[in-house]
């Protein structure tokens, strides 16, 4: 996981508190280090500390969702991704994570609506194939998977293997 740090300046007028920039960066670095070591509990505590002071910090919400997901806490992951989507605008990674979490949680109609609205191209097709499979439409899912696989053919074998593994998670 690469935690993208976007420091959002918040107005005192709105009553929001902003951590000093260096403290925010330090917390992000510590959270990323904990994540990379597999210490998701520590990463979650650090991300929550960031969010306690900077509640509109959508990269922290997205990372929090990822940590929850990797711990098997799917509902909490979905909640964090849902909040991140509201704040992130058209951020591709946030929407991808949210749609994936919706599919895993069985929120098929909502996933389909988000998918059609936000994800173009290959990643759309990858999630669409997963969505079709989740809907029990296996023939259509397999057909779409074969199209996705053929579009990956120009990639080197290792990149193709990684892309297919990520899509099958």
């Amino acid at each position: 996981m690469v935690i993208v740090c976007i420091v959002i300046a918040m107005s005192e007028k709105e009553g929001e508190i902003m951590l000093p920039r260096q403290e925010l960066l330090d917390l992000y670095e510590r959270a990323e280090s904990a994540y990379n070591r597999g210490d998701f509990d520590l990463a979650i505590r650090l991300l929550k500390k960031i969010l306690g002071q900077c509640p509109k910090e959508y990269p922290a919400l997205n990372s929090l969702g990822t940590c929850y997901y990797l711990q098997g806490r799917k509902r909490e992951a979905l909640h964090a991704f849902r909040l991140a989507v509201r704040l992130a605008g058209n951020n591709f990674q946030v929407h991808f994570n949210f749609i994936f979490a919706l599919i895993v949680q069985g929120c098929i109609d909502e996933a389909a609506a988000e998918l059609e609205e936000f994800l173009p191209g290959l990643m759309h097709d990858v999630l669409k194939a997963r969505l079709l499979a989740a809907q029990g439409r296996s023939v259509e899912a397999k057909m779409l998977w074969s199209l996705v696989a053929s579009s990956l053919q120009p990639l080197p074998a290792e990149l193709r293997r990684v892309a297919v593994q990520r899509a099958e998670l």
Side-chain angles (χ1 to χ4, degrees):
M1 169 178 79
V2 175
I3 299 178
V4 178
C5 181
I6 298 175
V7 179
I8 301 172
M10 296 186 207
S11 115
E12 292 177 21
K13 181 179 177 183
E14 295 175 12
E16 295 172 345
I17 301 167
M18 179 68 175
L19 287 172
R21 178 174 166 72
Q22 190 56 50
E23 187 177 341
L24 183 64
L25 292 172
D26 290 344
L27 286 171
Y28 267 114
E29 285 177 16
R30 290 174 52 207
E32 183 172 14
S33 177
Y35 174 91
N36 289 335
R37 290 190 316 271
D39 189 349
F40 302 120
D41 289 329
L42 177 58
I44 287 168
R45 283 194 306 275
L46 293 167
L47 291 164
K48 284 183 172 183
K49 185 172 183 178
I50 292 168
L51 292 164
Q53 295 294 310
C54 305
K56 293 186 178 180
E57 192 70 9
Y58 75 81
L61 281 165
N62 189 54
S63 297
L64 182 65
T66 301
C67 289
Y68 283 145
Y69 182 83
L70 292 171
Q71 285 189 323
R73 297 162 64 179
K74 307 286 192 279
R75 287 184 186 172
E76 291 165 284
L78 182 58
H79 179 71
F81 290 138
R82 188 180 306 278
L83 293 174
V85 161
R86 289 181 189 154
L87 298 169
N90 289 327
N91 182 287
F92 173 83
Q93 187 63 52
V94 173
H95 282 281
F96 181 90
N97 289 347
F98 178 53
I99 293 166
F100 187 84
L102 287 168
I103 293 170
V104 169
Q105 281 298 106
C107 303
I108 304 304
D109 292 338
E110 189 177 358
E114 286 288 324
L115 179 62
E116 295 305 319
E117 186 172 346
F118 290 105
L119 290 180
L122 179 62
M123 295 318 297
H124 172 278
D125 292 344
V126 166
L127 285 178
K128 180 73 172 192
R130 288 191 60 98
L131 182 61
L132 289 168
Q135 291 173 324
R137 297 163 60 188
S138 61
V139 172
E140 293 169 90
K142 287 177 183 175
M143 289 173 55
L144 189 51
W145 271 120
S146 64
L147 288 173
V148 168
S150 67
S151 69
L152 294 174
Q153 290 306 317
L155 293 176
E158 182 62 20
L159 287 177
R160 195 169 47 247
R161 183 186 63 74
V162 169
V164 169
Q165 279 180 336
R166 289 199 62 176
E168 291 175 349
L169 289 177

